[in-house]
């Protein structure tokens, strides 16, 4: 492992975990069958499941989408550097594992702002011999910090895959997610890519609005679900690769079963030309 300065900085500086209010990183871990969650997270997770029973299938489909996009970017687009923002608590097929299985020298910077993810950062730093991984405790809205520290590990003169997987719905309109994305994509050269998955407000509509009401009441962080047109707008100025912005399970599925999974997320990948 070649941990960068960003990775080393996190040691010994783990903020206190708040077990009194549900956090999306831990609730998501619960939905994925993980153990890094508290009673308050499981209660919130169960309330959301009541609203949308397809949620477990949906979060699994999202992890599968993440793995397929990383594999596609490494294999088909020749990407060797990944900036994965809103990483989540380590689960199966983390970005560095998939990327380094294709390209052993892939370099990955993970970014998240949740203390539980920070507490598990070492698991994310376990890169291969030739590659490098780093973890940065930062907020997606603080793009200048992300770019400054990620530059310890990534070469911003070479293509970078910006991964915003199931995180943009946690950025409110008042925080201008389109501007956040534009700043990130302005910092990377042509050949770089943007991958997004996003919770919808225009599929499974009754269930999504019920789930949104429940989670916005129970979670520490508000969510904004968005339409296909809004998610497509996040790719403005970039060239969407086939099949465009689609339900995640239909984005280059490996098997017919994968394509038919129950899921409620829009997903897409685009290239900066
Ligand atoms: C639903 S999880 C998705 C995890 C992973 N990307 C995946 O799709 O499997 C969202 C993650 O984004 C993180 N997050 C939420 N808001 C964030 C922000 N403003 N900056 C950085 N990370 C954020 C949460 O802590 C959580 O780990």
């Amino acid at each position: 492992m070649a941990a960068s300065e960003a990775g080393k900085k996190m040691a010994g500086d783990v903020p206190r975990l708040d077990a009194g209010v549900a956090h999306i990183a831990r609730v998501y871990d619960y939905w994925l069958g993980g153990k890094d969650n508290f009673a308050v997270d499981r209660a919130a997770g169960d309330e959301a499941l009541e609203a949308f029973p397809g949620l477990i299938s949906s979060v699994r489909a999202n992890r599968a989408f993440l793995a397929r996009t990383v594999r596609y970017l490494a294999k088909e687009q020749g990407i060797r550097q990944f900036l994965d923002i809103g990483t989540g608590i380590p689960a199966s097929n983390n970005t560095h594992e998939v990327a380094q299985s294709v390209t052993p020298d892939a370099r990955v910077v993970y970014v998240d702002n949740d203390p539980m993810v920070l507490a598990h950062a070492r698991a994310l730093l376990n890169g291969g011999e030739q590659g490098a991984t780093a973890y940065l405790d930062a907020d997606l809205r603080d793009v200048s910090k992300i770019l400054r520290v990620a530059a310890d590990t990534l070469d911003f003169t070479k293509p970078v895959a910006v991964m915003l997987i199931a995180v943009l719905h946690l950025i409110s309109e008042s925080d201008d997610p389109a501007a956040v994305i534009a700043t990130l994509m302005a910092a990377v050269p042509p050949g770089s890519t943007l991958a997004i998955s996003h919770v919808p407000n225009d599929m499974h509509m009754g269930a999504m609005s019920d789930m949104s009401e429940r989670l916005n009441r129970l979670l520490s962080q508000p969510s904004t679900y968005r339409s296909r047109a809004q998610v497509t707008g996040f790719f403005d100025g970039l060239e969407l690769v086939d099949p465009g912005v689609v339900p995640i399970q239909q984005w280059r599925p490996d098997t017919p079963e994968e394509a038919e999974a129950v899921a409620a997320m829009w997903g897409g990948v685009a290239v900066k030309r």
Side-chain angles (χ1 to χ4, degrees):
M1 178 188 83
S4 76
E5 204 43 35
K8 287 175 190 156
K9 269 181 198 150
M10 57 93 194
D13 189 27
V14 179
R16 201 172 62 81
L17 298 176
D18 181 356
V21 59
H23 278 217
I24 186 58
R26 301 180 327 226
V27 174
Y28 185 74
D29 173 74
Y30 171 58
W31 290 327
L32 282 173
K35 301 264 178 289
D36 298 301
N37 48 73
F38 301 120
V40 71
D41 305 309
R42 296 188 284 278
D46 286 342
E47 278 216 34
L49 271 167
E50 271 174 35
F52 180 45
L55 192 48
I56 300 293
S57 168
S58 193
V59 293
R60 286 183 186 152
N62 184 56
R63 291 298 298 183
F65 171 79
L66 167 64
R68 291 200 306 281
T69 55
V70 172
R71 208 179 317 117
Y72 165 81
L73 292 168
K75 266 193 185 157
E76 312 292 329
Q77 297 283 346
I79 299 275
R80 287 177 152 59
Q81 308 193 93
F82 293 80
L83 180 57
D84 179 341
I85 309 175
T87 305
I89 293 166
S92 61
N93 286 329
N94 299 303
T95 295
H96 73 284
E97 292 161 342
V98 178
Q100 290 169 356
S101 73
V102 178
T103 306
D105 63 350
R107 306 178 79 80
V108 179
V109 172
Y110 289 112
V111 181
D112 204 290
N113 66 351
D114 191 279
M116 184 66 101
V117 183
L118 178 59
H120 286 277
R122 272 190 195 83
L124 295 167
L125 294 173
N126 209 6
E129 291 287 304
Q130 302 167 48
T133 65
Y135 180 79
L136 168 56
D137 179 25
D139 194 299
L140 170 55
R141 293 165 296 183
D142 191 354
V143 176
S144 58
K145 175 180 177 184
I146 293 174
L147 294 172
R148 192 176 64 249
V149 185
D152 289 347
T153 304
L154 305 180
D155 176 353
F156 281 100
T157 66
K158 303 214 170 99
V160 175
V162 177
M163 309 291 301
L164 298 175
I165 306 299
V167 65
L168 284 169
H169 64 286
L170 298 158
I171 305 295
S172 307
E173 287 307 299
S174 57
D175 286 317
D176 202 347
V180 167
I181 292 169
T183 311
L184 278 168
M185 296 313 293
V188 294
S192 296
T193 60
L194 173 65
I196 291 175
S197 70
H198 200 297
V199 187
N201 63 11
D202 55 351
M203 62 167 103
H204 299 279
M205 283 161 70
M208 285 300 109
S209 84
D210 191 9
M211 187 169 96
S212 157
E213 183 280 314
R214 291 169 187 230
L215 288 178
N216 277 333
R217 181 164 38 78
L218 297 167
L219 291 185
S220 62
Q221 233 180 318
S223 302
T224 306
Y225 299 176
R226 296 188 174 92
S227 67
R228 185 183 208 164
Q230 287 174 301
V231 176
T232 303
F234 288 150
F235 292 102
D236 270 0
L238 306 173
E239 188 178 294
L240 275 164
V241 302
D242 279 345
V245 175
V246 294
I248 48 169
Q249 68 276 29
Q250 288 161 22
W251 196 90
R252 298 175 181 250
D254 288 329
T255 62
E257 294 73 34
E258 201 167 50
E260 281 158 23
V262 175
M265 301 277 277
W266 293 117
V269 173
V271 182
K272 177 172 174 174
R273 296 295 181 199

